Amino acid sequence: MRLGRRSTNVEDRRGRGGLIAGGGIGALVIVLLAVFMGVDPAEVLPPQGQSAQTPYSEPGGPITDEGGIFVEQVLADTEDTWRELFPQQFGREYQEPRLVLFSGAVQSACGMGQAAMGPFYCPPDQQVYIDLQFYRELRDRFGAPGDMAQAYVIAHEVGHHIQTLLGISQQVHQQRQRLSRGEGNELSVMQELQADCFAGVWANHAQRRDVLEAGDLEEALTAAAAIGDDRMQRETQGRVSPESWTHGSSAQRVRWLRRGFDSGDARQCDTFAASRL
């Protein structure tokens, strides 16, 4: 990837301590899997005390580490893309999200900050939260290495921000209150696949600006496949249960990411309408 400027919308909260003590990567894997499977991480982790975390950069200060700088650059590129596309495709001005880097645990407006690790987007505060340890798991455990795999994760979370700006997140939340768990899961899958499609739209325009290099798209597709619900379930429980999916299968995630990339048009990302065909 050939990235340029750094976003000013990144806050570094790493090194401020957390609630996952002594678990290291193992605890992180458990929580990440819980988040991806739609389970409250608090239900799968035992009570633990605080532990000190080693900061990558001085908390609250300028970001100086390679990983943090990369996140700033990717977020900046999504800002440049959606600042141009949002008025063109949706007729309104784009409002940029903030991104919070954290380690161990984080407080968010969604009320799960102390337990939820890994990447997530919180609609009430319109912020993306990322623990960079997730990238190590993505590479080593799930076989999805590369800068573009990491960038895809950010672009997917920004896709959830797009949904919030369009009112989609609010509608999904309201509908889920009236649905059974199975029906709510189906709605969640549509929402996640749409975020994948929006990530593909960003990748399309990143390629037009020569940000992407040979093999970058394949890295993103590999990452999307790596975190499909079917693959995650097969690895963690030895069987696949489609009725419990919350993010979509590997094939679905790859298909919608590819659709966004091929079209470059966020209006082609209506997964909700497609599910009714």
Side-chain angles (χ1 to χ4, degrees):
M1 297 185 70
R2 303 183 184 94
L3 295 167
R5 72 176 184 87
R6 297 164 61 175
S7 173
T8 58
N9 288 316
V10 177
E11 177 185 354
D12 191 359
R13 296 188 198 171
R14 295 171 295 177
R16 298 186 181 181
L19 296 179
I20 304 300
I25 294 297
L28 176 61
V29 172
I30 293 173
V31 179
L32 287 174
L33 293 177
V35 172
F36 278 125
M37 307 312 286
V39 178
D40 184 346
E43 297 178 4
V44 296
L45 283 175
Q48 299 182 1
Q50 288 193 338
S51 66
Q53 302 287 333
T54 301
Y56 291 81
S57 301
E58 184 66 24
I63 293 174
T64 58
D65 64 291
E66 182 178 353
I69 291 172
F70 175 78
V71 168
E72 288 183 323
Q73 291 176 313
V74 172
L75 185 64
D77 202 79
T78 67
E79 292 167 351
D80 294 342
T81 295
W82 290 110
R83 201 180 296 127
E84 175 185 350
L85 291 185
F86 213 71
Q88 293 177 2
Q89 299 184 3
F90 297 114
R92 63 185 78 174
E93 184 179 353
Y94 181 61
Q95 300 172 16
E96 300 170 354
R98 289 187 60 79
L99 187 149
V100 176
L101 294 172
F102 71 96
S103 57
V106 68
Q107 182 63 49
S108 79
C110 289
M112 290 183 63
Q114 293 183 338
M117 296 179 67
F120 67 95
Y121 173 76
C122 179
D125 60 23
Q126 297 190 11
Q127 295 189 147
V128 175
Y129 294 83
I130 297 180
D131 185 326
L132 295 187
Q133 293 276 25
F134 173 75
Y135 288 148
R136 184 183 303 175
E137 289 302 306
L138 191 64
R139 179 194 67 201
D140 297 342
R141 185 178 179 88
F142 302 113
D147 288 348
M148 186 57 182
Q150 298 179 19
Y152 152 70
V153 172
I154 297 173
H156 172 91
E157 300 306 331
V158 170
H160 286 308
H161 179 63
I162 300 295
Q163 292 172 324
T164 296
L165 296 181
L166 295 175
I168 296 171
S169 298
Q170 298 88 325
Q171 293 175 33
V172 169
H173 177 73
Q174 292 171 2
Q175 290 184 45
R176 289 195 66 183
Q177 306 305 306
R178 302 189 295 268
L179 298 174
S180 67
R181 181 168 184 174
E183 292 170 328
N185 286 346
E186 291 179 7
L187 207 57
S188 293
V189 168
M190 298 175 215
Q191 186 176 15
E192 294 296 333
L193 294 178
Q194 186 177 58
D196 280 334
C197 188
F198 288 157
V201 172
W202 161 76
N204 171 289
H205 291 268
Q207 184 182 59
R208 294 185 190 185
R209 298 193 310 276
D210 294 325
V211 172
L212 302 193
E213 300 175 304
D216 279 346
L217 177 61
E218 287 68 27
E219 288 182 0
L221 294 171
T222 297
I227 54 179
D229 282 333
D230 53 341
R231 180 167 173 179
M232 301 284 284
Q233 287 182 338
R234 193 174 293 111
E235 177 170 336
T236 58
Q237 61 190 37
R239 60 184 176 82
V240 176
S241 305
E243 68 279 0
S244 65
W245 290 355
T246 56
H247 286 64
S249 69
S250 294
Q252 288 174 315
R253 302 198 72 164
V254 167
R255 181 168 68 250
W256 281 101
L257 176 61
R258 186 92 212 195
R259 179 165 180 168
F261 180 82
D262 289 342
S263 69
D265 187 349
R267 293 165 295 189
Q268 300 300 314
C269 295
D270 191 347
T271 55
F272 301 91
S275 71
R276 295 190 288 270
L277 297 178

